[in-house]
């Protein structure tokens, strides 16, 4: 059969059902695995089959082994060596599952499925049994991945870093308490986004963010040009203590949400429309005039909201210092808000018995890490209009960008 004929329309016509095609592909995979095992043994012994060698360790026949793959359960022949030192990578000793199916299990777990749901899904789709204890063992491997990922070196410079926290309910000492997973996302000099890390604390505070920023610096980051945050009290000063040259932009979306918290329903539409004139102004002077109009209209009724704009004005309007393309990226933490939404979707605590909380700190961190892995799979391209944005950053911060 020629390569171009494989899986052509004419070739596929010989299979009457999907099951027949699946069985054919299963046999192809079985042969492929066995060929790879032979190649691994060749490398282990240092010579190919039927060649002569001075190596006292020689081939010693085969053993049969049942393995589980994405095409179902198969029985393969695993080559042996006389010393018993050969441990193949593709199907390690005491393991009956090929990596592909393990990746499927981890992916399903990351999407919020419980161990029992995964067990049922594997049985229905691949027609073999995987116990919940095996699924737990596979997902437990993620803990080591988290440690390595959390301690990896970071870029020396990030153009923008967005920071936020997500609150989860976690069981601790027979009580369920709120804990915050802190997330930082950086924009690299190649225009791609990167989650810098995850940190777990009891509540969001400037003091804890100090430890987060210190960790980022310790892992190799020397400079952050712009930080985008919520309006947590003391956050700006905290950032300045670790990255003194960084500009801090308070998230306008957080500001709108906080200012609207006590507005009655009948006023909300007009209230938010008037705030829009502030942050959509062409420059800071026009924004200041819009704030005065907003205050004249609403101060008597919602003085707290007006005061919150005035108190945070300097950090709310940093984005006006930049060209339009950069403004659109930094003036809101929409990017991290969208990421948080996907994390919420995937980190469904329904996989646990009490249906309300995560049983341990490790469980919540594992779930969030896997959710991030799923949510960021498409982060392979630079952000939109990257060429223009990079040129603008180089114009403003040439020496710092080229650090």
């Amino acid at each position: 059969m020629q390569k171009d004929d494989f899986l052509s329309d004419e070739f596929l016509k010989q299979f009457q059902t999907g099951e027949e095609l699946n069985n054919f592909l299963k046999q192809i995979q079985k042969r492929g695995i066995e060929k790879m095992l032979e190649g691994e043994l060749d490398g282990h012994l240092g010579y190919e089959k039927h060649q002569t060698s001075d190596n006292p360790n020689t081939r010693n026949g085969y053993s049969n082994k049942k393995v589980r793959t994405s095409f179902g359960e198969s029985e393969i022949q695993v080559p042996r060596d006389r010393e018993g030192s050969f441990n193949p990578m593709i199907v390690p000793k005491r393991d009956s599952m090929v990596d592909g199916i393990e990746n499927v299990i981890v992916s399903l777990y990351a999407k919020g499925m419980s161990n029992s749901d995964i067990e049922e899904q594997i049985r229905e789709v691949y027609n073999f049994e995987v116990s919940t204890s095996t699924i737990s063992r596979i997902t437990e491997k993620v803990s080591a991945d988290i440690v390595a990922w959390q301690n990896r070196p970071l870029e020396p410079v990030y153009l923008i870093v967005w920071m936020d926290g997500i609150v989860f309910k976690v069981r601790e000492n027979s009580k369920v308490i709120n804990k915050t997973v802190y997330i930082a996302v950086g924009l690299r000099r190649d225009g791609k986004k990167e989650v810098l890390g995850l940190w777990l604390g009891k509540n969001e505070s400037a003091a804890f963010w100090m430890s987060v920023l210190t960790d980022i610096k310790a892992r190799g980051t020397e400079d952050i040009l712009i930080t985008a945050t919520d309006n947590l009290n003391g956050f700006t000063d905290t950032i300045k203590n670790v990255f003194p040259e960084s500009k801090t932009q308070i998230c306008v979306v957080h500001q709108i949400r906080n200012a609207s918290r006590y507005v009655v329903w009948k006023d909300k539409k007009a209230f938010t429309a008037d705030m829009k004139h502030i942050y959509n102004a062409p420059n800071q002077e026009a924004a200041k005039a819009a704030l005065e109009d907003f205050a004249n209209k609403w101060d008597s009724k919602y003085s707290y909201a007006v005061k919150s704009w005035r108190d945070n004005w300097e950090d709310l309007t940093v984005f006006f210092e930049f060209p339009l393309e950069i403004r659109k990226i930094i003036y809101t933490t929409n990017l991290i808000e969208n990421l948080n939404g996907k994390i919420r979707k995937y980190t469904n605590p329904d996989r646990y018995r009490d249906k309300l909380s995560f049983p341990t700190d490790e469980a919540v961190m594992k779930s969030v890490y896997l959710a991030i892995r799923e949510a960021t799979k498409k982060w392979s391209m630079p952000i939109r209009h990257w060429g223009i944005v990079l040129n603008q950053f180089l114009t403003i911060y040439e020496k710092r960008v080229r650090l």
Side-chain angles (χ1 to χ4, degrees), residues 150-158 161 163 184 196-197 199 208-224 227 238-246 400 403:
Q150 188 66 29
N151 290 284
R152 75 194 189 283
L154 297 176
E155 296 281 314
V157 178
Y158 288 95
V161 171
M163 293 181 282
L196 308 186
W199 300 265
F208 194 92
W209 273 115
M210 171 73 84
S211 67
V212 169
L213 291 162
T214 302
D215 180 56
I216 289 172
K217 191 164 189 175
R219 287 161 59 200
T221 299
E222 300 174 33
D223 195 8
I224 297 172
T227 50
T238 298
I239 295 167
K240 293 291 185 188
N241 285 333
V242 184
F243 296 100
E245 293 187 82
S246 181
R400 291 169 68 186
L403 178 65

Side-chain angles (χ1 to χ4, degrees), residues 16-73:
Q16 301 300 312
T17 65
E19 185 178 358
E20 287 184 4
L21 177 59
N22 186 76
N23 288 336
F24 170 76
L25 295 174
K26 184 176 176 180
Q27 289 302 312
I28 293 290
Q29 186 186 54
K30 166 181 157 64
R31 288 170 57 189
I33 291 172
E34 290 176 340
K35 287 292 184 184
M36 285 188 279
L37 289 169
E38 292 283 1
E40 282 197 57
L41 182 58
D42 288 346
H44 178 72
L45 297 175
Y47 66 94
E48 294 181 12
K49 198 172 184 179
H50 306 304
Q51 285 186 335
T52 57
S53 171
D54 295 332
N55 188 347
N57 191 17
T58 60
R59 286 170 174 77
N60 189 31
Y62 297 87
S63 61
N64 293 328
K65 183 173 188 175
K66 285 186 177 179
V67 294
R68 298 159 183 171
T69 75
S70 54
F71 289 107
E73 195 168 63

Side-chain angles (χ1 to χ4, degrees), residues 63-99:
S63 61
N64 293 328
K65 183 173 188 175
K66 285 186 177 179
V67 294
R68 298 159 183 171
T69 75
S70 54
F71 289 107
E73 195 168 63
S74 296
E75 187 168 282
I76 61 171
Q77 287 195 316
V78 180
R80 299 180 302 194
D81 64 327
R82 193 166 296 280
E83 293 178 355
S85 57
F86 176 51
N87 186 17
M89 293 177 62
I90 188 169
V91 188
K93 288 180 178 178
R94 295 175 295 281
D95 205 337
S96 61
M97 198 169 296
V98 177
D99 279 348

Side-chain angles (χ1 to χ4, degrees), residues 124-176:
E124 289 179 358
V125 175
Y126 301 118
N127 197 32
F128 62 78
E129 299 288 336
V130 180
S131 67
T132 53
S133 60
T134 299
I135 294 168
S136 294
R137 177 183 57 78
I138 291 167
T139 56
E140 279 301 317
K141 292 180 181 178
V142 174
S143 298
D145 294 342
I146 294 174
V147 172
W149 177 79
Q150 188 66 29
N151 290 284
R152 75 194 189 283
L154 297 176
E155 296 281 314
V157 178
Y158 288 95
L159 307 185
I160 305 172
V161 171
W162 297 267
M163 293 181 282
D164 202 2
I166 314 178
V167 177
F168 293 94
K169 292 188 179 300
V170 185
R171 188 167 290 278
E172 182 177 275
N173 297 327
S174 301
K175 294 181 180 179
V176 174

Side-chain angles (χ1 to χ4, degrees), residues 195-379:
V195 178
L196 308 186
L198 301 171
W199 300 265
L200 185 67
K202 285 195 174 179
N203 47 55
E204 189 172 10
S205 66
F208 194 92
W209 273 115
M210 171 73 84
S211 67
V212 169
L213 291 162
T214 302
D215 180 56
I216 289 172
K217 191 164 189 175
R219 287 161 59 200
T221 299
E222 300 174 33
D223 195 8
I224 297 172
L225 306 186
I226 302 165
T227 50
T229 73
D230 63 14
N231 59 353
L232 181 68
N233 188 36
F235 206 161
T236 300
D237 292 338
T238 298
I239 295 167
K240 293 291 185 188
N241 285 333
V242 184
F243 296 100
E245 293 187 82
S246 181
K247 291 271 188 180
T248 301
Q249 167 68 49
I250 289 178
C251 172
V252 175
V253 171
H254 278 86
Q255 173 63 22
I256 294 166
R257 191 182 299 149
N258 292 337
S260 302
R261 188 175 298 170
Y262 304 108
V263 176
V264 298
W265 178 254
K266 68 183 181 68
D267 290 337
K268 215 150 221 178
K269 187 174 181 181
F271 186 85
T272 54
D274 288 342
M275 280 194 292
K276 196 172 184 179
H277 294 307
I278 302 172
Y279 60 85
N280 274 352
N283 53 55
Q284 194 167 14
E285 291 74 18
K288 187 70 173 176
L291 175 61
E292 292 309 312
D293 291 341
F294 176 77
N296 291 335
K297 182 174 179 180
W298 297 107
D299 194 42
S300 61
K301 203 169 186 179
Y302 301 114
S303 58
Y304 169 80
V306 174
K307 184 177 184 298
S308 71
W309 275 97
R310 284 181 167 152
D311 288 349
N312 296 303
W313 185 252
E314 186 176 337
D315 292 329
L316 276 168
T317 55
V318 167
F319 68 91
F320 283 118
E321 300 175 19
F322 298 93
L324 283 173
E325 286 78 11
I326 296 180
R327 283 188 202 180
K328 291 176 182 178
I329 306 170
I330 66 170
Y331 96 106
T332 173
T333 54
N334 268 352
L335 177 144
I336 205 163
E337 292 278 330
N338 290 339
L339 178 61
N340 288 354
K342 290 178 181 176
I343 291 170
R344 285 287 186 199
K345 175 185 173 184
Y346 291 145
T347 54
N348 178 5
D350 284 358
R351 60 161 62 103
Y352 301 112
R353 273 185 211 167
D354 58 19
K355 308 290 184 183
L356 296 172
S357 62
F358 289 91
T360 63
D361 289 354
E362 185 181 15
V364 69
M365 287 295 283
K366 185 167 67 172
S367 292
V368 174
Y369 169 75
L370 288 171
I372 283 176
R373 241 176 43 171
E374 288 294 313
T376 59
K377 280 181 177 178
K378 295 182 180 179
W379 286 13

